[in-house]
Amino acid sequence: MMPTAWAFLDPRGMGITLSLSAALLALVLLITHRALGRRLPGMQPAAFGLLLASAGFALNMLQSWLLPVMGLVLAVVCMVSGVALVLGGTRQLRGLPVRPGPLAASCLASLAIALWFGVWMPDARWRIGLLSLLLAALALLLARTAWDEARPQLRAGMRLMALLGMVFAVLMGLRGVAAALGQIETTVTPTLVNAASVLAAGMSLIGGVVGLVLVLSGDLLALVEQQRTHDPLTGLLNRQGLRHWVASQSAEEPVVLGMVDLDHFKQINDLHGHGIGDQVIRHLARLLQACGSEHCRAARLGGEEFVVVALGSGRGPDLRQMLERLRQQFADTAPQPGATLSAGLALGSVGEFEATLREADAALYRAKQAGRNRVEAAFSAI
């Protein structure tokens, strides 16, 4: 009689290999996340949870060679606690509140099941069935939490974790049903259900690490893009980010530009230090951020020079009033008493952005020449 195909799939060998691989990857992820300054809240508990679950999985594969307390009870607690930590970490990554009560309850339940049905009143059918259903429930919660991620930079990694969590939950559910029907007596017996369960668990652990790596890399790529298009001191768009936003608009779209420049900024730096100068720049940036909307952007072009860009026809008078309010508000609230600003206004179109920028700069120059602390408009401005 020919042996069944899964008889060649040794659950113990597969489980040990997959769990050690997942543990090593999780450890590397923990070290990498720490080296990157622990940017993402929730990444550390999630990665540690995968490491803990991998250790428990390996102990479970070795339970026949170890004392029951270590090979069974410790293995079960490590696996369930690890999955609970991954769930809690995923909620943190999503910005959701972590509920430690239910997670701790699941860990205590796994400990009670392992002790009662594994040590005091051994019953493999109840032990495997209940623990499989508990792991399936945690995996379903994890899949649901990860799937709802809306941030583009984190979505790919979260969706991978959600899909693997769903597959793992289904197989654990089937394993629980098989145990209830008396089809499973040990975890390492070469059967189709055991082989599939071990393979699914091991690949889910490895896939979970890969998912977290995608989350971390997505966050780093978003950070690089942020640094490429935004000014690090103020958080406003920089010149490149502004040009990218303008280029995404229709060339025929009317545009109003307001060039803003701090008066005598070099003297502030020379007399009071660059720290005070940075405070003045950040204060002006906070005031400029109030104009930010779908059709209006503020940017720092460099040094003490800023620009406000408003799209749409008839925006000239509105932007001039806004610049006048900005000038007065800045003079009243600047960190350095006596600090003022000047502004120049110009009208044009998106297709003539650079020419309009030069007109606004010329108007700004006239404001400086006229005594500073004022707003001047180009001849084409309304």
Side-chain angles (χ1 to χ4, degrees):
M1 180 177 177
M2 292 294 293
T4 53
W6 58 84
F8 298 101
L9 299 176
D10 175 25
R12 178 183 282 116
M14 284 195 306
I16 294 173
T17 302
L18 292 171
S19 61
L20 292 179
S21 300
L24 179 60
L25 290 173
L27 182 61
V28 171
L29 177 59
L30 278 169
I31 295 172
T32 302
H33 182 244
R34 181 176 180 179
L36 293 173
R38 298 174 177 170
R39 279 183 43 80
L40 289 174
M43 177 62 69
Q44 185 167 328
F48 183 75
L50 287 170
L51 178 61
L52 188 62
S54 300
F57 189 35
L59 287 173
N60 191 46
M61 294 297 101
L62 298 171
Q63 62 178 269
S64 61
W65 299 345
L66 302 172
L67 295 174
V69 173
M70 179 176 294
L72 178 60
V73 177
L74 183 60
V76 166
V77 173
C78 285
M79 283 190 294
V80 176
S81 299
V83 176
L85 274 175
V86 176
L87 175 57
T90 303
R91 290 187 64 85
Q92 277 189 283
L93 285 168
R94 290 278 325 281
L96 301 174
V98 178
R99 301 184 179 91
L103 299 182
S106 65
C107 298
L108 291 175
S110 69
L111 176 62
I113 294 170
L115 286 174
W116 186 262
F117 294 111
V119 180
W120 298 328
M121 301 287 290
D123 190 323
R125 184 176 67 175
W126 278 100
R127 185 186 75 247
I128 294 174
L130 291 175
L131 290 174
S132 296
L133 293 177
L134 179 59
L135 286 170
L138 289 172
L140 280 175
L141 289 174
L142 173 62
R144 179 180 177 182
T145 302
W147 185 264
D148 291 335
E149 176 59 62
R151 289 167 291 181
Q153 68 269 27
L154 307 185
R155 190 179 299 148
M158 287 293 197
R159 290 289 170 88
L160 177 60
M161 292 179 64
L163 290 174
L164 290 170
M166 185 65 68
V167 172
F168 179 71
V170 170
L171 284 173
M172 285 296 103
L174 292 175
R175 190 167 183 265
V177 173
L181 297 175
Q183 300 298 312
I184 300 177
E185 295 182 358
T186 66
T187 304
V188 296
T189 303
T191 64
L192 175 60
V193 175
N194 276 341
S197 300
V198 168
L199 184 61
M203 294 307 297
S204 295
L205 289 171
I206 294 175
V209 178
V210 173
L212 290 179
V213 169
L214 289 176
V215 169
L216 183 60
S217 62
D219 177 69
L220 290 177
L221 288 173
L223 175 63
V224 170
E225 179 65 18
Q226 171 78 10
Q227 293 176 339
R228 186 180 70 87
T229 58
H230 288 73
D231 174 61
L233 179 63
T234 64
L236 295 176
L237 290 173
N238 57 21
R239 189 181 294 268
Q240 184 175 357
L242 178 65
R243 284 176 173 164
H244 179 75
W245 178 72
V246 170
S248 66
Q249 312 299 325
S250 171
E252 293 77 26
E253 182 77 21
V255 66
V256 190
L257 299 182
M259 290 286 292
V260 179
D261 189 89
L262 292 169
D263 298 327
H264 301 299
F265 183 68
K266 185 176 184 303
Q267 293 182 14
I268 294 176
N269 277 334
D270 292 343
L271 294 175
H272 305 284
H274 290 276
I276 295 297
D278 287 348
Q279 290 181 27
V280 173
I281 286 178
R282 283 194 292 265
H283 179 68
L284 176 55
R286 284 193 292 269
L287 297 178
L288 285 169
Q289 284 173 342
C291 87
S293 67
E294 183 181 356
H295 303 292
C296 184
R297 291 289 191 278
R300 184 187 181 197
L301 299 182
E304 69 272 24
E305 194 172 50
F306 298 79
V307 64
V308 181
V309 182
L311 301 175
S313 59
R315 299 292 300 275
D318 292 340
L319 185 57
R320 178 153 195 164
Q321 291 177 12
M322 188 276 286
L323 291 175
E324 290 286 4
R325 289 194 302 269
L326 173 71
R327 181 187 63 80
Q328 188 61 53
Q329 187 177 8
F330 178 77
D332 294 339
T333 62
Q336 180 58 39
T340 60
L341 62 82
S342 300
L345 192 68
L347 294 178
S349 65
V350 169
E352 300 172 342
F353 179 78
E354 294 298 333
T356 309
L357 194 63
R358 288 192 294 271
E359 287 187 30
D361 193 50
L364 172 63
Y365 179 76
R366 288 198 299 275
K368 296 283 189 179
Q369 292 297 105
R372 295 182 170 83
N373 193 21
R374 59 192 296 125
V375 178
E376 290 286 342
F379 294 115
S380 58
I382 297 176

